[in-house]
């Protein structure tokens, strides 16, 4: 499988930007481009016809339906043609109190309907400074892998997003990313033998640093926040990633 570029718009963007981005990256064949846009925009996706772009939710509820005002279920995402969903982004862990337990429940809800979960893991600055980065991310990952049906685990993609690199303009060095990705893949194989986990890097990725990150053997793609909010620049970033393998 080729490299993966996932754009996480967070609570940003507009319909106009969506159209511009799809126009720029919809024809890229060398990389898989997935757009994780705010939920209302996912209802527009069918109108884009035969674009190569794929779609992701930014969040999902863990139950199938019910009295949970404001929430979106995994089967609703499927109905909108969505094939992926971010789970456990650090902003959700931080601002919406999502625990490892909840991240597992959401991952399972996705897998049950065939949505590929992009499970986000990452250490805080304090955890890194305390030398605990590998321990923290490995725990976040194994909590998930331990709890999902083994046969469905290959659908999971992991995004390593060090909290200190998100939105700060201070990306992890390619060497740091490589070290953590390698550790995550090793931890995954300890849980599920022969699992070939794909690991994306996220945190201040842009068109200037994407290539160096992608050259690392265990960086399988990128998860991009701010730099996905400008259509031309994002196309350049995708082209960098596509050309890097
Ligand atoms: P930035 O690329 O803006 O640092 O955001 C990273 C991120 O959180 C993607 O999920």
């Amino acid at each position: 499988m080729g490299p993966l570029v996932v754009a996480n718009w967070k609570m940003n963007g507009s319909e106009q930007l969506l159209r511009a981005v799809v126009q720029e990256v919809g024809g890229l064949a060398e990389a898989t481009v997935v757009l994780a846009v705010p939920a209302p925009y996912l209802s527009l996706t069918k109108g884009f016809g035969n674009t190569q772009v794929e779609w992701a939710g930014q969040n999902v509820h863990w139950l199938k339906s019910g009295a949970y005002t404001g929430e979106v279920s995994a089967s609703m995402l499927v109905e909108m043609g969505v094939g992926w969903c971010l789970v456990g982004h650090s902003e959700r862990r931080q601002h919406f109190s999502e625990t490892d337990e909840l991240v597992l429940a959401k991952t399972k809800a996705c897998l049950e309907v065939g949505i590929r979960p992009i499970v986000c893991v990452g250490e805080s600055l304090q955890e890194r400074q305390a030398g605990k980065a590998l321990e923290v991310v490995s725990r976040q990952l194994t909590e998930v892998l331990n709890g999902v049906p083994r046969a469905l685990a290959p659908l999971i993609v992991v995004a390593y997003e060090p909290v200190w690199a998100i939105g700060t303009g201070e990306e992890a060095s390619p060497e740091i990313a490589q070290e953590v990705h390698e550790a995550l893949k090793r931890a995954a194989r300890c849980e599920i033998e022969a699992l070939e986990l794909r690991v994306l890097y996220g945190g201040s990725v842009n068109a200037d640093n994407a290539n160096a990150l992608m050259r690392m053997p265990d960086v399988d793609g990128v998860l991009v926040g701010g730099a996905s909010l400008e259509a031309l620049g994002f196309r350049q970033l995708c082209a960098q990633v596509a050309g890097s393998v």
Side-chain angles (χ1 to χ4, degrees):
M1 218 191 270
L4 189 56
V5 185
V6 182
N8 176 12
W9 278 14
K10 311 187 180 186
M11 198 173 70
N12 297 298
S14 63
E15 182 177 346
Q16 194 185 4
L17 178 65
L18 184 60
R19 294 192 185 286
V21 167
V22 173
Q23 191 169 355
E24 289 298 334
V25 300
L28 265 184
E30 300 82 5
T32 302
V33 180
V34 179
L35 302 182
V37 294
Y41 300 134
L42 293 173
S43 62
L44 300 170
T45 59
K46 288 183 183 161
F48 286 110
N50 63 354
T51 171
Q52 308 247 18
V53 159
E54 299 185 24
W55 304 99
Q58 293 183 2
N59 183 32
V60 67
H61 198 273
W62 60 95
L63 293 175
K64 289 187 170 63
S65 62
Y68 299 100
T69 302
E71 293 292 324
V72 171
S73 74
S75 61
M76 291 169 190
L77 293 177
V78 171
E79 235 183 310
M80 291 297 119
V82 172
W84 304 79
C85 190
L86 301 179
V87 181
H89 191 281
S90 64
E91 287 152 16
R92 297 216 53 93
R93 293 181 193 254
Q94 186 186 342
H95 303 303
F96 301 93
S97 307
E98 290 197 3
T99 58
D100 287 346
E101 197 184 356
L102 216 55
V103 173
L104 169 60
K106 291 181 174 205
T107 303
K108 282 160 97 171
C110 288
L111 291 173
E112 270 167 28
V113 297
I115 287 185
R116 306 198 57 166
I118 302 168
V119 177
C120 304
V121 301
E123 82 284 4
S124 66
L125 185 59
Q126 293 93 312
E127 288 164 337
R128 173 152 288 274
Q129 286 169 341
K132 293 201 168 134
L134 298 184
E135 184 189 322
V136 168
V137 297
S138 300
R139 191 208 67 229
Q140 289 171 332
L141 175 61
T142 49
E143 292 280 328
V144 168
L145 291 182
N146 256 327
V148 298
R150 301 215 145 196
L152 298 178
L155 287 177
I156 296 173
V157 169
V158 166
Y160 167 53
E161 295 207 303
V163 176
W164 47 270
I166 295 178
T168 59
E170 198 189 309
E171 79 276 11
S173 68
E175 292 72 25
I176 288 182
Q178 171 58 26
E179 183 192 26
V180 177
H181 287 213
E182 201 183 346
L184 286 168
K185 291 182 185 191
R186 210 178 317 118
R189 283 193 303 269
C190 282
E191 288 305 313
I192 302 176
E193 216 184 309
L195 180 64
E196 288 194 30
L197 190 70
R198 294 179 88 199
V199 184
L200 316 178
Y201 169 77
S204 298
V205 176
N206 57 44
D208 296 327
N209 60 27
N211 195 274
L213 286 159
M214 287 300 300
R215 276 177 208 260
M216 293 291 124
D218 289 311
V219 177
D220 304 311
V222 287
L223 177 53
V224 187
S228 67
L229 293 169
E230 198 273 305
L232 265 177
F234 184 57
R235 196 211 19 213
Q236 281 164 9
L237 194 163
C238 292
Q240 288 283 330
V241 172
S244 69
V245 286

